Amino acid sequence: MAHSKAEYFSSGVEGALILLAAASIAYTALERLHQPKPIEQVGLGLVISVLASLVNFGVAHVLATAGRRYRSITLEADAKHLMTDVWTSAGVLVGVGAVALTGFHWLDPIIALLVAVNIVWSGVQLVRQSALGLLDTAWPAEERTGITQMLDNYSTQGVKYHSLRTRQAGTRRFMSVHILVPGAWTVQRGHDLLDEIESKIRQMLPEVTILTHLEPIEAPVSFAASQLDRAISWN
């Protein structure tokens, strides 16, 4: 798990670099806003920017797709880092076009500042996501909802649950839950139920580490814990 969490440190560093790039763009744009200068070597600069943007966009798309597929925040961070170059190049193209059409040289730094703001937002989101990963945040709401709906279906058998906990570290998922069954059930029946529940969860979310605990529903402590968990979830 320690190696999995190293991904969050890596993505956090990339997020910081993205913020640094945005600050550099904003600083340069403010200088040019105070002292507008004519754009030099427009033709060569535009050609290089377009070619670089196309390459970076293609690579960023591949990395982003792989990052979502393998749940790798490092790959997603690399994709966002490359996209900052794409947005910068797009800002250059728009800025040069605006200056060429209007003759107002101050439009170029204004557009650069807007690009910097967009890049800052991307960097902040990445740093925030990395920080939450280091804090072992719960799974996304849609994944937790799928699990609770599946568990709720067992209520017709007199089965309840409580203490459902989820967290994610890098590409690894972890989950624990207490299953409450009628005390008259045999150990074998309870064990088979846990196997069935764990199998269904793994079908929904592969590569998850599951810890289940079986309890008699008649036990006052189990019932109180179940009621408390539901009260907290309602709030």
Side-chain angles (χ1 to χ4, degrees):
M1 185 172 64
H3 292 126
S4 297
K5 286 198 171 185
E7 280 203 83
Y8 293 112
F9 285 105
S10 174
S11 61
V13 170
E14 290 213 52
L17 291 175
I18 289 174
L19 293 175
L20 182 62
S24 176
I25 293 172
Y27 178 79
T28 302
L30 288 173
E31 277 193 338
R32 293 183 70 90
L33 187 61
H34 289 301
Q35 299 178 349
K37 298 178 181 178
I39 301 174
E40 301 175 355
Q41 296 183 341
V42 176
L44 179 61
L46 288 181
V47 171
I48 294 175
S49 294
V50 170
L51 291 177
S53 295
L54 291 175
V55 173
N56 286 334
F57 182 81
V59 176
H61 177 71
V62 172
L63 289 174
T65 301
R68 289 191 294 269
R69 178 184 303 169
Y70 299 110
R71 301 192 308 278
S72 171
I73 191 174
T74 299
L75 293 178
E76 292 183 14
D78 287 340
K80 290 182 178 180
H81 202 163
L82 284 174
M83 282 303 297
T84 61
D85 293 334
V86 175
W87 283 114
T88 301
S89 298
V92 169
L93 294 174
V94 174
V96 170
V99 171
L101 290 174
T102 65
F104 298 140
H105 294 288
W106 53 266
L107 283 176
D108 184 43
I110 289 294
I111 293 173
L113 286 173
L114 294 176
V115 170
V117 170
N118 180 70
I119 294 175
V120 165
W121 174 251
S122 179
V124 168
Q125 290 294 98
L126 186 55
V127 170
R128 178 179 179 275
Q129 187 178 357
S130 301
L132 291 177
L134 290 171
L135 295 174
D136 285 342
T137 52
W139 297 351
E142 59 272 14
E143 293 182 354
R144 298 197 306 272
T145 299
I147 297 296
T148 57
Q149 288 176 345
M150 184 272 293
L151 292 174
D152 287 338
N153 290 334
Y154 285 95
S155 61
T156 57
Q157 302 179 34
V159 175
K160 296 183 181 295
Y161 66 93
H162 71 88
S163 300
L164 175 60
R165 302 288 186 266
T166 65
R167 64 187 179 91
Q168 183 168 335
T171 59
R172 301 178 63 186
R173 288 190 179 100
F174 300 87
M175 168 190 166
S176 64
V177 62
H178 291 203
I179 304 297
L180 312 179
V181 302
W185 280 25
T186 63
V187 174
Q188 183 65 53
R189 185 175 179 182
H191 181 269
D192 291 343
L193 175 66
L194 295 186
D195 283 344
E196 179 181 321
I197 290 174
E198 291 180 12
S199 177
K200 288 184 177 180
I201 293 173
R202 290 192 176 94
Q203 288 176 8
M204 298 168 61
L205 300 167
E207 299 179 8
V208 58
T209 299
I210 308 171
L211 177 63
T212 52
H213 179 70
L214 194 67
E215 298 178 5
I217 199 169
E218 294 84 0
V221 174
S222 297
F223 183 76
S226 177
Q227 294 296 99
L228 178 60
D229 277 356
R230 289 184 180 276
I232 292 174
S233 64
W234 289 339
N235 292 331

